[in-house]
Amino acid sequence: AQSVAQPEDQVNVAEGNPLTVKCTYSVSGNPYLFWYVQYPNRGLQFLLKYITGDNLVKGSYGFEAEFNKSQTSFHLKKPSALVSDSALYFCAVRDMIWDNFNKFYFGSGTKLNVKP
Amino acid sequence: EAQVTQNPRYLITVTGKKLTVTCSQNMNHEYMSWYRQDPGLGLRQIYYSMNVEVTDKGDVPEGYKVSRKEKRNFPLILESPSPNQTSLYFCASYQKGWPTEAFFGQGTRLTVV
Protein backbone atom coordinates (compact mmCIF):
# COMPACT_ATOMS: atom_id res chain seq x y z
CA ALA A 1 0.00 0.00 0.00
CA GLN A 2 1.09 3.53 -0.71
CA SER A 3 1.88 5.71 2.28
CA VAL A 4 3.79 8.78 3.39
CA ALA A 5 5.24 9.42 6.82
CA GLN A 6 6.35 12.69 8.32
CA PRO A 7 7.99 11.66 11.59
CA GLU A 8 8.08 15.12 13.14
CA ASP A 9 4.93 16.95 14.14
CA GLN A 10 6.92 20.13 14.63
CA VAL A 11 10.33 21.48 13.66
CA ASN A 12 11.84 24.52 15.34
CA VAL A 13 14.69 26.43 13.77
CA ALA A 14 16.28 29.83 14.22
CA GLU A 15 16.12 32.34 11.39
CA GLY A 16 19.18 32.08 9.17
CA ASN A 17 19.86 28.46 10.06
CA PRO A 18 19.33 25.60 7.62
CA LEU A 19 16.11 23.65 7.92
CA THR A 20 15.10 20.09 7.12
CA VAL A 21 11.58 18.66 7.14
CA LYS A 22 11.60 14.88 6.86
CA CYS A 23 9.47 12.62 4.71
CA THR A 24 9.62 8.91 3.99
CA TYR A 25 7.40 7.04 1.58
CA SER A 26 6.25 3.60 0.55
CA VAL A 27 5.02 2.96 -3.00
CA SER A 28 4.58 -0.06 -5.22
CA GLY A 29 5.65 1.58 -8.45
CA ASN A 30 7.69 4.63 -9.37
CA PRO A 31 7.66 7.30 -6.68
CA TYR A 32 6.16 10.62 -7.74
CA LEU A 33 6.73 12.88 -4.76
CA PHE A 34 5.51 16.34 -3.89
CA TRP A 35 5.85 18.98 -1.19
CA TYR A 36 3.12 21.46 -0.33
CA VAL A 37 2.99 24.36 2.10
CA GLN A 38 -0.07 25.61 3.94
CA TYR A 39 -0.15 29.05 5.52
CA PRO A 40 -2.85 29.84 8.11
CA ASN A 41 -6.32 30.08 6.63
CA ARG A 42 -5.03 29.21 3.19
CA GLY A 43 -5.13 26.24 0.87
CA LEU A 44 -2.17 24.05 0.04
CA GLN A 45 0.39 25.56 -2.27
CA PHE A 46 2.67 23.46 -4.42
CA LEU A 47 6.39 23.82 -3.64
CA LEU A 48 8.21 21.20 -5.69
CA LYS A 49 8.08 17.68 -7.04
CA TYR A 50 10.27 14.75 -7.96
CA ILE A 51 9.31 12.76 -11.03
CA THR A 52 12.58 11.44 -12.40
CA GLY A 53 16.16 12.51 -12.99
CA ASP A 54 18.31 14.59 -10.65
CA ASN A 55 17.87 13.60 -7.02
CA LEU A 56 18.05 17.22 -5.87
CA VAL A 57 14.94 19.12 -6.84
CA LYS A 58 14.63 22.88 -6.55
CA GLY A 59 11.33 24.60 -5.97
CA SER A 60 9.61 27.81 -4.91
CA TYR A 61 10.78 30.24 -2.21
CA GLY A 62 14.31 28.80 -2.12
CA PHE A 63 13.24 25.33 -1.04
CA GLU A 64 14.78 22.16 -2.35
CA ALA A 65 14.28 18.48 -1.68
CA GLU A 66 16.55 15.48 -1.88
CA PHE A 67 15.22 12.20 -3.21
CA ASN A 68 16.95 9.12 -1.80
CA LYS A 69 15.71 5.89 -3.29
CA SER A 70 17.64 3.56 -1.00
CA GLN A 71 16.29 5.27 2.11
CA THR A 72 12.86 5.92 0.52
CA SER A 73 13.07 9.51 1.68
CA PHE A 74 12.26 12.90 0.21
CA HIS A 75 13.38 15.49 2.76
CA LEU A 76 12.60 19.16 2.27
CA LYS A 77 15.47 21.57 2.86
CA LYS A 78 16.36 25.22 2.82
CA PRO A 79 19.85 26.62 3.42
CA SER A 80 18.71 29.66 5.40
CA ALA A 81 15.30 29.79 7.09
CA LEU A 82 13.10 32.88 7.19
CA VAL A 83 10.45 33.73 9.77
CA SER A 84 7.99 33.85 6.87
CA ASP A 85 8.69 30.15 6.20
CA SER A 86 6.71 29.30 9.34
CA ALA A 87 3.82 27.18 8.11
CA LEU A 88 2.49 23.63 7.85
CA TYR A 89 4.27 21.42 5.33
CA PHE A 90 2.86 18.33 3.68
CA CYS A 91 4.67 15.61 1.79
CA ALA A 92 2.64 13.64 -0.75
CA VAL A 93 3.03 10.77 -3.18
CA ARG A 94 0.95 10.36 -6.31
CA ASP A 95 0.01 6.78 -7.04
CA MET A 96 0.18 6.15 -10.77
CA ILE A 97 -0.46 2.42 -10.69
CA TRP A 98 -3.41 1.76 -12.95
CA ASP A 99 -5.97 0.78 -10.34
CA ASN A 100 -5.25 3.90 -8.29
CA PHE A 101 -4.38 6.19 -11.12
CA ASN A 102 -5.77 9.29 -9.55
CA LYS A 103 -4.75 9.22 -5.93
CA PHE A 104 -2.53 11.42 -3.86
CA TYR A 105 -1.45 10.19 -0.44
CA PHE A 106 -0.49 12.84 2.09
CA GLY A 107 1.59 12.76 5.22
CA SER A 108 0.21 14.08 8.49
CA GLY A 109 2.01 17.39 8.14
CA THR A 110 4.92 19.07 9.91
CA LYS A 111 4.60 22.45 11.51
CA LEU A 112 7.69 24.55 10.91
CA ASN A 113 8.41 27.30 13.41
CA VAL A 114 11.17 29.74 12.49
CA LYS A 115 12.13 32.01 15.37
CA PRO A 116 13.77 35.42 14.92
CA GLU B 1 -5.50 32.66 -13.62
CA ALA B 2 -5.56 28.92 -12.95
CA GLN B 3 -7.55 28.28 -9.82
CA VAL B 4 -9.83 26.07 -7.79
CA THR B 5 -12.65 27.97 -6.14
CA GLN B 6 -14.55 26.70 -3.12
CA ASN B 7 -17.58 28.23 -1.46
CA PRO B 8 -18.32 29.04 1.22
CA ARG B 9 -15.05 29.62 3.09
CA TYR B 10 -16.74 29.33 6.49
CA LEU B 11 -19.95 27.61 7.43
CA ILE B 12 -21.67 26.95 10.74
CA THR B 13 -24.69 24.69 10.61
CA VAL B 14 -26.85 22.52 12.82
CA THR B 15 -26.98 18.75 12.97
CA GLY B 16 -29.13 17.27 10.25
CA LYS B 17 -29.47 20.32 8.01
CA LYS B 18 -28.40 19.43 4.48
CA LEU B 19 -25.60 21.50 3.00
CA THR B 20 -23.53 21.71 -0.17
CA VAL B 21 -19.98 22.95 -0.57
CA THR B 22 -19.23 23.96 -4.12
CA CYS B 23 -15.96 23.48 -5.98
CA SER B 24 -15.08 24.75 -9.43
CA GLN B 25 -11.85 24.60 -11.46
CA ASN B 26 -10.91 26.44 -14.64
CA MET B 27 -8.02 24.25 -15.81
CA ASN B 28 -10.01 21.58 -17.65
CA HIS B 29 -8.61 18.95 -15.30
CA GLU B 30 -10.04 15.46 -15.52
CA TYR B 31 -9.52 14.58 -11.87
CA MET B 32 -11.14 16.29 -8.92
CA SER B 33 -11.03 15.28 -5.30
CA TRP B 34 -12.32 16.22 -1.87
CA TYR B 35 -10.24 16.00 1.31
CA ARG B 36 -10.82 16.72 4.92
CA GLN B 37 -8.05 17.97 7.18
CA ASP B 38 -8.06 17.18 10.86
CA PRO B 39 -5.28 17.86 13.39
CA GLY B 40 -2.75 15.06 13.49
CA LEU B 41 -4.43 13.16 10.67
CA GLY B 42 -3.25 15.12 7.69
CA LEU B 43 -5.40 15.09 4.58
CA ARG B 44 -7.81 12.25 4.06
CA GLN B 45 -9.56 11.71 0.77
CA ILE B 46 -13.36 11.67 0.87
CA TYR B 47 -14.34 11.18 -2.77
CA TYR B 48 -12.70 11.64 -6.12
CA SER B 49 -13.82 11.88 -9.71
CA MET B 50 -11.94 10.75 -12.79
CA ASN B 51 -14.21 12.57 -15.20
CA VAL B 52 -17.82 13.62 -15.77
CA GLU B 53 -20.25 11.14 -14.21
CA VAL B 54 -17.35 9.01 -12.88
CA THR B 55 -16.83 9.14 -9.13
CA ASP B 56 -15.50 6.79 -6.48
CA LYS B 57 -15.07 6.61 -2.75
CA GLY B 58 -11.91 7.68 -1.04
CA ASP B 59 -10.77 6.71 2.42
CA VAL B 60 -13.51 8.41 4.49
CA PRO B 61 -16.69 8.60 2.36
CA GLU B 62 -19.29 7.92 5.05
CA GLY B 63 -21.78 10.75 5.42
CA TYR B 64 -20.83 12.47 2.16
CA LYS B 65 -22.09 12.51 -1.41
CA VAL B 66 -20.67 14.01 -4.57
CA SER B 67 -21.69 14.54 -8.16
CA ARG B 68 -19.83 15.42 -11.35
CA LYS B 69 -22.29 16.60 -13.96
CA GLU B 70 -19.90 19.08 -15.53
CA LYS B 71 -16.14 18.81 -15.86
CA ARG B 72 -15.45 22.02 -13.98
CA ASN B 73 -17.71 21.44 -10.93
CA PHE B 74 -17.52 18.90 -8.14
CA PRO B 75 -19.85 19.73 -5.24
CA LEU B 76 -19.65 18.00 -1.86
CA ILE B 77 -22.99 17.24 -0.27
CA LEU B 78 -23.66 16.50 3.38
CA GLU B 79 -27.22 15.20 3.51
CA SER B 80 -27.43 15.05 7.30
CA PRO B 81 -24.35 16.65 8.86
CA SER B 82 -23.16 15.49 12.27
CA PRO B 83 -20.68 17.08 14.69
CA ASN B 84 -17.95 14.58 13.72
CA GLN B 85 -17.97 16.18 10.26
CA THR B 86 -16.68 19.41 11.73
CA SER B 87 -13.46 19.86 9.82
CA LEU B 88 -11.52 21.81 7.22
CA TYR B 89 -12.38 20.68 3.71
CA PHE B 90 -10.33 21.06 0.56
CA CYS B 91 -11.16 20.50 -3.05
CA ALA B 92 -8.37 19.71 -5.49
CA SER B 93 -8.03 19.14 -9.19
CA TYR B 94 -5.27 17.58 -11.26
CA GLN B 95 -4.47 16.53 -14.75
CA LYS B 96 -4.73 13.01 -16.11
CA GLY B 97 -1.62 11.29 -17.35
CA TRP B 98 1.75 12.83 -16.53
CA PRO B 99 2.23 13.10 -12.74
CA THR B 100 1.54 16.78 -12.36
CA GLU B 101 0.75 18.41 -9.07
CA ALA B 102 -2.70 18.92 -7.63
CA PHE B 103 -4.20 22.39 -7.33
CA PHE B 104 -6.13 23.15 -4.17
CA GLY B 105 -8.96 25.45 -3.26
CA GLN B 106 -8.74 27.82 -0.31
CA GLY B 107 -10.65 25.51 1.98
CA THR B 108 -14.01 25.48 3.72
CA ARG B 109 -14.09 25.44 7.49
CA LEU B 110 -17.27 23.66 8.52
CA THR B 111 -18.65 23.58 12.04
CA VAL B 112 -21.62 21.36 12.83
CA VAL B 113 -23.30 22.07 16.17
Side-chain angles (χ1 to χ4, degrees):
Chain A
Q2 277 53 247
S3 66
V4 176
Q6 293 180 242
E8 302 155 316
D9 291 336
Q10 186 167 297
V11 169
N12 298 312
V13 64
E15 188 173 32
N17 284 359
L19 70 86
T20 298
V21 183
K22 296 179 180 177
C23 171
T24 59
Y25 65 90
S26 173
V27 295
S28 304
N30 293 322
Y32 302 114
L33 299 158
F34 302 79
W35 274 103
Y36 287 84
V37 60
Q38 183 183 26
Y39 298 103
N41 299 316
R42 302 291 298 274
L44 278 72
Q45 298 177 32
F46 169 72
L47 276 180
L48 51 80
K49 64 184 175 185
Y50 172 83
I51 304 301
T52 187
D54 195 346
N55 289 343
L56 186 64
V57 179
K58 295 188 183 298
S60 306
Y61 312 122
F63 283 93
E64 56 191 27
E66 186 171 12
F67 171 68
N68 188 315
K69 188 173 184 178
S70 63
Q71 297 185 3
T72 62
S73 67
F74 189 55
H75 300 332
L76 182 70
K77 300 181 179 183
K78 189 174 183 181
S80 178
L82 299 172
V83 172
S84 57
D85 292 330
S86 298
L88 186 58
Y89 290 81
F90 287 98
C91 182
V93 61
R94 182 169 176 178
D95 189 343
M96 299 294 284
I97 294 176
W98 186 255
D99 287 342
N100 293 288
F101 193 56
N102 55 310
K103 279 194 164 185
F104 279 83
Y105 294 85
F106 287 86
S108 54
T110 299
K111 186 177 181 184
L112 174 66
N113 296 314
V114 182
K115 299 182 179 179
Chain B
E1 180 189 356
Q3 59 184 5
V4 178
T5 303
Q6 285 179 240
N7 281 296
R9 291 289 310 278
Y10 302 92
L11 179 59
I12 301 175
T13 190
V14 297
T15 299
K17 185 176 182 181
K18 181 180 178 179
L19 66 91
T20 299
V21 183
T22 63
C23 174
S24 181
Q25 52 99 359
N26 64 359
M27 294 165 280
N28 203 36
H29 286 164
E30 291 83 3
Y31 292 122
M32 297 186 74
S33 186
W34 277 102
Y35 298 88
R36 60 179 288 174
Q37 182 182 5
D38 301 291
L41 297 177
L43 289 164
R44 294 181 292 169
Q45 192 179 58
I46 303 170
Y47 268 95
Y48 61 91
S49 171
M50 290 155 275
N51 216 321
V52 175
E53 302 291 1
V54 183
T55 63
D56 204 353
K57 296 177 181 179
D59 301 313
V60 288
E62 294 78 20
Y64 304 95
K65 286 178 57 177
V66 293
S67 69
R68 187 100 180 267
K69 298 188 187 308
E70 303 167 285
K71 197 171 186 179
R72 63 183 292 121
N73 295 325
F74 191 45
L76 180 69
I77 303 158
L78 285 71
E79 295 255 348
S80 183
S82 62
N84 65 11
Q85 293 178 297
T86 293
S87 187
L88 180 59
Y89 291 87
F90 288 103
C91 179
S93 73
Y94 35 102
Q95 193 174 352
K96 183 179 178 180
W98 189 248
T100 55
E101 64 272 22
F103 291 77
F104 282 82
Q106 295 286 66
T108 296
R109 185 167 293 281
L110 172 65
T111 302
V112 184
V113 297

